[in-house]
Amino acid sequence: MSVMVSAFDAQRTRTSEKYTTYPPEVLPMFVAEMDAVLAEPIRDALVAAVANGDTGYVGHGRALPEAFADFAAERWSWRVDPDLVRTTTDVSVAAVETLRRVIEPGDQVVVMPPVYPPFWEYVAEAGGSATEVPLLPPTDPGDASSTTAGWRMDLDGVRRAFEDGARTVLLCNPHNPLGLVHPRDELAALARLAAEYDAVVVSDEIHAPLTHADAVFTPFLDSCPVAADLGVALTSASKAWNLAGTKCALLIGASERARAWFDGMPAEVVERTGILGYTASVAAFRAGGPWLASLLAELAANRRTLAERLGEVLPGARYRQPQASYLAWVDLGALPFGDDPAPVLVDRARVALSRGLDFGRQGAGHVRLNFGCSAETLDEALSRLATAR
């Protein structure tokens, strides 16, 4: 059974940003939210909570830390200590509050564009200054059958940033918008480099459960022994199970240093966790595996469809299949759409995609396309995009 619904049906019944930003005639494929039904165990847990009136302030139990620890052990053979897991509203709050503990005002924080646009905002909100060390693009042109594995971190650039005074890296693993799953050896090399300069790595791992079958996700904290002493991982069930509005994320440490950072945060960081998000997250990590497997199968099919058809629909478009997520980073630089193709495609094709420039200067001529949708919706999007030439 498909876990996806028609985007047009979703537009008629849902009120979230994805379905209300544009008029109904525009196909929404921008914000990272899927046209998916709720997993049954999550739906049942939320219905029961509402029926029971369990909608107050979040409690202080261990259900979610233990559920995530079990999920991480089963999926990635990663041993997580539930006592070193905290919850908060969402990954953005987790990132800002962690940065506030590990940097001083004005400190440099390394970010690796093209990257999720709020990363710059996280750094600024925490009082830091973003230092850009762009990812290195593939050395070969590749084709639609290639994956984003050709991209890699610029570790020499990170070293130069450390030599210039940076002491923190805000990592995206898997990397949004590329869907790049950083290999273990590169993560370990980053950890050893950070240790050399007494730096901290804050790793946003929200897309990890969405890793495709042709890649292997490695948690940063588990990449090598030294990584555990200098990092914090941030994650949530929100991307994999489509729960962004329920508001719950996790901060994960693996050292006494991390425990001290967590304990030094204001109590409100945890208190702002949404109780319905907590309830949904426990259900997701405990019982959401079968639904997630169905989702990944549908995403894999959509990923292949894009690889097979995008070049026909938009000759000159370049795309490498993401190793994780439902987000495609598409290079339209060879087409006559300019540096900012997304508004052009809304006007000409009535398809809303994310602006590449929002992800950094490297996004000129690019768009990010959300293929977390039904096969029929993707087919309609491709048909519409063909009219934009």
Side-chain angles (χ1 to χ4, degrees):
M1 178 181 175
S2 174
V3 304
M4 297 295 185
V5 299
S6 162
F8 306 104
D9 290 341
Q11 282 177 315
R12 285 192 287 269
T13 59
R14 298 182 183 182
T15 61
S16 62
E17 177 186 1
K18 181 173 185 178
Y19 305 106
T20 57
T21 297
Y22 293 94
E25 64 270 18
V26 175
L27 196 57
M29 306 186 79
F30 64 112
V31 69
E33 176 184 342
M34 296 182 286
D35 304 331
V37 299
L38 273 182
E40 188 172 343
I42 297 173
R43 183 198 64 197
D44 292 348
L46 289 174
V47 168
V50 172
N52 293 331
D54 192 13
T55 55
Y57 297 112
V58 73
H60 296 274
R62 289 169 53 93
L64 182 51
E66 290 176 353
F68 178 77
D70 290 344
F71 179 85
E74 179 180 355
R75 203 161 194 90
W76 305 307
S77 300
W78 178 25
R79 296 185 61 184
V80 172
D81 181 354
D83 288 335
L84 286 171
V85 177
R86 303 290 188 273
T87 67
T88 190
T89 314
D90 51 37
V91 164
S92 63
V93 170
V96 171
E97 295 299 336
T98 300
L99 289 173
R100 282 178 172 154
R101 301 307 304 170
V102 303
I103 69 171
E104 298 294 332
D107 279 0
Q108 298 176 53
V109 178
V110 172
V111 297
M112 300 180 183
V115 73
Y116 183 50
F119 269 35
W120 284 273
E121 298 172 18
Y122 299 166
V123 174
E125 187 175 347
S129 174
T131 296
E132 296 184 7
V133 180
L135 292 175
L136 298 173
T139 55
D140 63 279
D143 55 33
S145 65
S146 305
T147 70
T148 50
W151 289 81
R152 57 193 176 88
M153 288 185 278
D154 181 359
L155 294 175
D156 290 337
V158 174
R159 179 179 290 278
R160 289 192 293 272
F162 286 163
E163 289 173 349
D164 288 341
R167 288 296 179 269
T168 307
V169 175
L170 183 55
L171 180 69
C172 201
N173 178 41
H175 192 95
N176 176 6
L178 300 173
L180 169 66
V181 176
H182 296 293
R184 180 180 292 272
D185 61 344
E186 287 191 17
L187 293 170
L190 175 64
R192 290 191 293 270
L193 182 59
E196 184 179 341
Y197 287 88
D198 193 26
V200 175
V201 176
V202 181
S203 185
D204 177 349
E205 301 183 352
I206 196 170
H207 289 276
L210 294 168
T211 300
H212 295 293
D214 54 3
V216 176
F217 171 73
T218 299
F220 174 77
L221 294 177
D222 196 45
S223 63
C224 66
V226 71
D229 293 327
L230 52 81
V232 171
L234 315 175
T235 195
S236 172
S238 64
K239 283 293 179 282
W241 286 276
N242 224 37
L243 299 170
T246 63
K247 293 300 179 185
C248 181
L250 298 91
L251 305 91
I252 304 151
S255 66
E256 289 305 310
R257 192 180 184 194
R259 189 194 304 275
W261 291 330
F262 295 162
D263 289 348
M265 292 178 182
E268 282 297 311
V269 173
V270 172
E271 298 294 339
R272 290 173 185 145
T273 306
I275 192 169
L276 293 180
Y278 191 104
T279 298
S281 298
V282 172
F285 290 124
R286 285 283 185 220
W291 184 94
L292 182 60
S294 296
L295 170 70
L296 287 169
E298 292 186 50
L299 294 181
N302 284 352
R303 190 177 73 146
R304 287 193 300 272
T305 296
L306 273 177
E308 293 165 358
R309 295 187 54 195
L310 187 61
E312 300 173 4
V313 168
L314 293 171
R318 298 180 61 183
Y319 150 74
R320 285 174 176 257
Q321 297 184 56
Q323 296 174 292
S325 86
Y326 46 83
L327 304 170
W329 185 239
V330 182
D331 183 354
L332 300 178
L335 283 78
F337 299 148
D339 285 347
D340 193 10
V344 177
L345 296 176
V346 170
D347 291 339
R348 295 187 186 177
R350 312 307 283 165
V351 178
L353 307 176
S354 295
R355 299 176 64 243
L357 286 171
D358 289 343
F359 297 82
R361 295 186 300 275
Q362 299 76 11
H366 289 70
V367 292
R368 192 190 72 176
L369 183 152
N370 177 347
F371 59 87
C373 59
S374 67
E376 294 75 18
T377 299
L378 182 59
D379 182 69
E380 173 66 17
L382 290 169
S383 297
R384 291 186 182 197
L385 290 172
T387 68
R389 300 196 300 246

mmCIF file of all heavy atoms in Angstrom, residues 88-109:
data_model
loop_
_atom_site.group_PDB
_atom_site.id
_atom_site.type_symbol
_atom_site.label_atom_id
_atom_site.label_comp_id
_atom_site.label_asym_id
_atom_site.label_seq_id
_atom_site.Cartn_x
_atom_site.Cartn_y
_atom_site.Cartn_z
ATOM 1 N N THR A 88 13.944 18.733 22.640
ATOM 2 C CA THR A 88 13.571 20.141 22.545
ATOM 3 C C THR A 88 12.565 20.287 21.416
ATOM 4 O O THR A 88 12.071 19.303 20.873
ATOM 5 C CB THR A 88 14.796 21.048 22.342
ATOM 6 O OG1 THR A 88 14.398 22.414 22.483
ATOM 7 C CG2 THR A 88 15.433 20.835 20.979
ATOM 8 N N THR A 89 12.268 21.529 21.058
ATOM 9 C CA THR A 89 11.199 21.807 20.102
ATOM 10 C C THR A 89 11.475 21.235 18.721
ATOM 11 O O THR A 89 10.653 20.539 18.154
ATOM 12 C CB THR A 89 11.010 23.329 19.974
ATOM 13 O OG1 THR A 89 10.990 23.900 21.274
ATOM 14 C CG2 THR A 89 9.743 23.667 19.240
ATOM 15 N N ASP A 90 12.616 21.582 18.150
ATOM 16 C CA ASP A 90 12.966 21.117 16.817
ATOM 17 C C ASP A 90 14.472 21.225 16.641
ATOM 18 O O ASP A 90 15.182 21.724 17.529
ATOM 19 C CB ASP A 90 12.212 21.897 15.727
ATOM 20 C CG ASP A 90 12.333 23.401 15.870
ATOM 21 O OD1 ASP A 90 13.415 23.883 16.257
ATOM 22 O OD2 ASP A 90 11.342 24.111 15.599
ATOM 23 N N VAL A 91 14.965 20.767 15.501
ATOM 24 C CA VAL A 91 16.411 20.745 15.291
ATOM 25 C C VAL A 91 16.987 22.149 15.218
ATOM 26 O O VAL A 91 18.138 22.368 15.599
ATOM 27 C CB VAL A 91 16.747 19.912 14.036
ATOM 28 C CG1 VAL A 91 18.172 20.165 13.560
ATOM 29 C CG2 VAL A 91 16.575 18.421 14.334
ATOM 30 N N SER A 92 16.205 23.125 14.753
ATOM 31 C CA SER A 92 16.727 24.488 14.714
ATOM 32 C C SER A 92 17.021 25.003 16.121
ATOM 33 O O SER A 92 18.078 25.602 16.369
ATOM 34 C CB SER A 92 15.741 25.412 13.991
ATOM 35 O OG SER A 92 14.510 25.487 14.675
ATOM 36 N N VAL A 93 16.112 24.768 17.052
ATOM 37 C CA VAL A 93 16.354 25.164 18.445
ATOM 38 C C VAL A 93 17.529 24.376 19.018
ATOM 39 O O VAL A 93 18.388 24.930 19.722
ATOM 40 C CB VAL A 93 15.083 24.957 19.288
ATOM 41 C CG1 VAL A 93 15.383 25.131 20.771
ATOM 42 C CG2 VAL A 93 13.995 25.934 18.856
ATOM 43 N N ALA A 94 17.591 23.088 18.710
ATOM 44 C CA ALA A 94 18.698 22.259 19.192
ATOM 45 C C ALA A 94 20.033 22.803 18.703
ATOM 46 O O ALA A 94 21.014 22.860 19.460
ATOM 47 C CB ALA A 94 18.503 20.819 18.730
ATOM 48 N N ALA A 95 20.083 23.223 17.445
ATOM 49 C CA ALA A 95 21.326 23.743 16.886
ATOM 50 C C ALA A 95 21.731 25.055 17.554
ATOM 51 O O ALA A 95 22.888 25.237 17.962
ATOM 52 C CB ALA A 95 21.173 23.947 15.380
ATOM 53 N N VAL A 96 20.778 25.967 17.681
ATOM 54 C CA VAL A 96 21.093 27.267 18.270
ATOM 55 C C VAL A 96 21.536 27.113 19.714
ATOM 56 O O VAL A 96 22.546 27.700 20.146
ATOM 57 C CB VAL A 96 19.880 28.214 18.163
ATOM 58 C CG1 VAL A 96 20.120 29.487 18.969
ATOM 59 C CG2 VAL A 96 19.591 28.552 16.708
ATOM 60 N N GLU A 97 20.795 26.326 20.495
ATOM 61 C CA GLU A 97 21.127 26.192 21.912
ATOM 62 C C GLU A 97 22.452 25.460 22.112
ATOM 63 O O GLU A 97 23.207 25.783 23.041
ATOM 64 C CB GLU A 97 20.001 25.478 22.650
ATOM 65 C CG GLU A 97 18.689 26.252 22.682
ATOM 66 C CD GLU A 97 18.807 27.600 23.381
ATOM 67 O OE1 GLU A 97 19.713 27.774 24.216
ATOM 68 O OE2 GLU A 97 17.972 28.487 23.093
ATOM 69 N N THR A 98 22.766 24.509 21.248
ATOM 70 C CA THR A 98 24.071 23.847 21.349
ATOM 71 C C THR A 98 25.188 24.820 21.007
ATOM 72 O O THR A 98 26.205 24.894 21.720
ATOM 73 C CB THR A 98 24.127 22.624 20.414
ATOM 74 O OG1 THR A 98 23.103 21.697 20.777
ATOM 75 C CG2 THR A 98 25.486 21.926 20.524
ATOM 76 N N LEU A 99 25.009 25.574 19.931
ATOM 77 C CA LEU A 99 26.038 26.545 19.564
ATOM 78 C C LEU A 99 26.245 27.567 20.676
ATOM 79 O O LEU A 99 27.384 27.993 20.949
ATOM 80 C CB LEU A 99 25.656 27.244 18.255
ATOM 81 C CG LEU A 99 25.736 26.399 16.979
ATOM 82 C CD1 LEU A 99 25.170 27.162 15.788
ATOM 83 C CD2 LEU A 99 27.177 25.978 16.698
ATOM 84 N N ARG A 100 25.179 27.953 21.340
ATOM 85 C CA ARG A 100 25.318 28.923 22.431
ATOM 86 C C ARG A 100 26.198 28.393 23.563
ATOM 87 O O ARG A 100 26.840 29.162 24.269
ATOM 88 C CB ARG A 100 23.941 29.294 22.981
ATOM 89 C CG ARG A 100 23.186 30.287 22.109
ATOM 90 C CD ARG A 100 21.815 30.582 22.658
ATOM 91 N NE ARG A 100 21.183 31.682 21.926
ATOM 92 C CZ ARG A 100 19.885 31.865 21.804
ATOM 93 N NH1 ARG A 100 19.041 31.013 22.387
ATOM 94 N NH2 ARG A 100 19.396 32.881 21.114
ATOM 95 N N ARG A 101 26.214 27.081 23.727
ATOM 96 C CA ARG A 101 27.033 26.488 24.788
ATOM 97 C C ARG A 101 28.490 26.324 24.380
ATOM 98 O O ARG A 101 29.369 26.273 25.246
ATOM 99 C CB ARG A 101 26.481 25.118 25.191
ATOM 100 C CG ARG A 101 25.057 25.100 25.694
ATOM 101 C CD ARG A 101 24.825 26.084 26.808
ATOM 102 N NE ARG A 101 25.723 25.899 27.943
ATOM 103 C CZ ARG A 101 25.859 26.737 28.950
ATOM 104 N NH1 ARG A 101 25.137 27.846 28.975
ATOM 105 N NH2 ARG A 101 26.688 26.476 29.940
ATOM 106 N N VAL A 102 28.754 26.205 23.063
ATOM 107 C CA VAL A 102 30.115 25.831 22.648
ATOM 108 C C VAL A 102 30.895 26.974 22.004
ATOM 109 O O VAL A 102 32.092 26.818 21.739
ATOM 110 C CB VAL A 102 30.083 24.621 21.688
ATOM 111 C CG1 VAL A 102 29.377 23.442 22.341
ATOM 112 C CG2 VAL A 102 29.444 24.941 20.351
ATOM 113 N N ILE A 103 30.243 28.115 21.732
ATOM 114 C CA ILE A 103 30.979 29.244 21.162
ATOM 115 C C ILE A 103 30.857 30.458 22.063
ATOM 116 O O ILE A 103 29.978 30.538 22.920
ATOM 117 C CB ILE A 103 30.485 29.610 19.743
ATOM 118 C CG1 ILE A 103 29.067 30.206 19.793
ATOM 119 C CG2 ILE A 103 30.543 28.408 18.814
ATOM 120 C CD1 ILE A 103 28.603 30.776 18.457
ATOM 121 N N GLU A 104 31.754 31.402 21.842
ATOM 122 C CA GLU A 104 31.685 32.718 22.457
ATOM 123 C C GLU A 104 31.174 33.707 21.415
ATOM 124 O O GLU A 104 31.300 33.462 20.215
ATOM 125 C CB GLU A 104 33.066 33.155 22.959
ATOM 126 C CG GLU A 104 33.655 32.259 24.041
ATOM 127 C CD GLU A 104 32.851 32.304 25.335
ATOM 128 O OE1 GLU A 104 32.211 33.353 25.586
ATOM 129 O OE2 GLU A 104 32.879 31.309 26.081
ATOM 130 N N PRO A 105 30.602 34.828 21.855
ATOM 131 C CA PRO A 105 30.102 35.804 20.879
ATOM 132 C C PRO A 105 31.178 36.196 19.865
ATOM 133 O O PRO A 105 32.322 36.500 20.236
ATOM 134 C CB PRO A 105 29.700 36.998 21.755
ATOM 135 C CG PRO A 105 29.334 36.372 23.067
ATOM 136 C CD PRO A 105 30.309 35.243 23.244
ATOM 137 N N GLY A 106 30.807 36.143 18.592
ATOM 138 C CA GLY A 106 31.729 36.508 17.522
ATOM 139 C C GLY A 106 32.572 35.370 16.988
ATOM 140 O O GLY A 106 33.259 35.530 15.975
ATOM 141 N N ASP A 107 32.539 34.223 17.641
ATOM 142 C CA ASP A 107 33.343 33.086 17.175
ATOM 143 C C ASP A 107 32.919 32.640 15.781
ATOM 144 O O ASP A 107 31.737 32.704 15.413
ATOM 145 C CB ASP A 107 33.195 31.898 18.133
ATOM 146 C CG ASP A 107 34.077 32.010 19.356
ATOM 147 O OD1 ASP A 107 34.812 33.009 19.470
ATOM 148 O OD2 ASP A 107 34.017 31.096 20.206
ATOM 149 N N GLN A 108 33.908 32.136 15.044
ATOM 150 C CA GLN A 108 33.641 31.607 13.712
ATOM 151 C C GLN A 108 33.091 30.179 13.805
ATOM 152 O O GLN A 108 33.593 29.369 14.583
ATOM 153 C CB GLN A 108 34.916 31.572 12.880
ATOM 154 C CG GLN A 108 35.562 32.922 12.634
ATOM 155 C CD GLN A 108 36.861 32.771 11.884
ATOM 156 O OE1 GLN A 108 36.913 32.150 10.826
ATOM 157 N NE2 GLN A 108 37.932 33.321 12.447
ATOM 158 N N VAL A 109 32.082 29.905 12.981
ATOM 159 C CA VAL A 109 31.501 28.567 12.875
ATOM 160 C C VAL A 109 31.540 28.167 11.408
ATOM 161 O O VAL A 109 31.019 28.881 10.550
ATOM 162 C CB VAL A 109 30.049 28.544 13.396
ATOM 163 C CG1 VAL A 109 29.441 27.147 13.229
ATOM 164 C CG2 VAL A 109 29.993 28.981 14.862
#
